[in-house]
Amino acid sequence: MTAPSPATRRRRDPERRERILTAAAELTARRGFHAIGMADIGAEAGIVGSGVYRHFENKDAILVALLDRVMGRLQDGAAAILAAGPDDRTTLSGLIRDHVRVAIEDRTVLAVYHREIHNLPEEDRRRLRRLQRHYLEDWVHVLAPLRPDLADGELRLAVHAAIGAVQSTLFFRSGLAPERLAELLDGMAHACLGVTPNPAPSVNGE
């Protein structure tokens, strides 16, 4: 049997890397970061332990990649919404709904972020915390014109409360259908901010 060419191996790499990250997220969510090893991650991903090292130098590098991915998804979503939002209320509702989507679709990785960020090397931990603060500030800047009655500290408290409401689903499995869960989280986050939700676009975009 002919061995795969280098080009073929390169094409497979992204898929294998994704399998490793998915396996690491699932294991970390179930057992905690310190309780798993590279061999455990490889077994969960269906890859021999040595194969994991072809993509990640060590377990810390896997955790950094996981947390970078979920933070990047939130930032990219926020940037697109801020750029396209026609007004503050529409933009704020967009930020809320994007965060709800990430919390539901990337629930495992986002839960790992909150439980395991303290285990990162200090430089990576500070970098991610800085990105997190910038993300929160985006919400504050959009909320401020909508809630002129709130002082600066009150705006930040409201934003933290809204995001906390959304992320409550990370640590509690309600058993609700995703559509109903998203609807409830959306309403709760808007209530925390004291802002009437902008109507969500219909499936047909009308």
Side-chain angles (χ1 to χ4, degrees):
M1 182 175 180
T2 304
S5 68
T8 301
R9 287 196 295 270
R10 282 196 295 273
R11 283 198 298 270
R12 291 177 180 173
D13 282 351
E15 180 183 347
R16 180 171 288 193
R17 187 177 190 275
E18 185 62 26
R19 282 163 54 196
I20 293 169
L21 289 173
T22 299
E26 294 289 349
L27 285 173
T28 302
R30 292 200 306 262
R31 295 161 51 184
F33 182 66
H34 287 303
I36 62 173
M38 294 289 268
D40 299 316
I41 295 169
E44 182 80 5
I47 300 168
V48 295
S50 60
V52 179
Y53 286 99
R54 295 174 188 166
H55 299 271
F56 298 98
E57 181 181 359
N58 52 41
K59 198 171 66 166
D60 282 347
I62 295 176
L63 183 60
V64 169
L66 275 174
L67 304 194
D68 271 335
R69 184 174 69 175
V70 74
M71 194 67 239
R73 183 175 178 186
L74 288 171
Q75 282 191 300
D76 291 346
I81 291 162
L82 291 166
D87 57 74
D88 290 323
R89 190 163 72 95
T90 301
T91 300
L92 187 63
S93 288
L95 290 172
I96 291 170
R97 286 160 190 163
D98 185 66
H99 202 100
V100 169
R101 275 192 294 273
V102 174
I104 293 174
E105 295 173 6
D106 261 357
R107 180 182 185 276
T108 299
V109 179
L110 198 56
V112 168
Y113 181 98
H114 286 278
R115 286 174 171 152
E116 304 293 344
I117 191 170
H118 63 281
N119 284 316
L120 288 179
E122 183 176 359
E123 182 178 347
D124 289 300
R125 184 172 65 252
R126 287 183 175 180
R127 176 178 56 80
L128 281 165
R129 290 294 194 196
R130 184 167 58 251
L131 294 176
Q132 183 180 347
R133 287 194 298 273
H134 291 165
Y135 175 74
L136 292 171
E137 285 302 305
D138 286 338
W139 285 54
V140 172
H141 291 155
V142 176
L143 177 63
L146 299 170
R147 293 297 310 273
D149 56 308
L150 296 182
D152 186 69
E154 293 169 330
L155 289 169
R156 283 169 171 74
L157 177 63
V159 167
H160 277 276
I163 290 177
V166 173
Q167 294 183 170
S168 64
T169 191
L170 304 180
F171 311 106
F172 167 69
R173 291 193 178 273
S174 64
L176 296 170
E179 296 81 5
R180 178 57 175 158
L181 179 59
E183 179 186 3
L184 288 172
L185 294 175
D186 180 80
M188 291 172 186
H190 279 92
C192 288
L193 297 172
V195 175
T196 303
N198 193 62
S202 69
V203 174
N204 295 323
E206 299 176 353

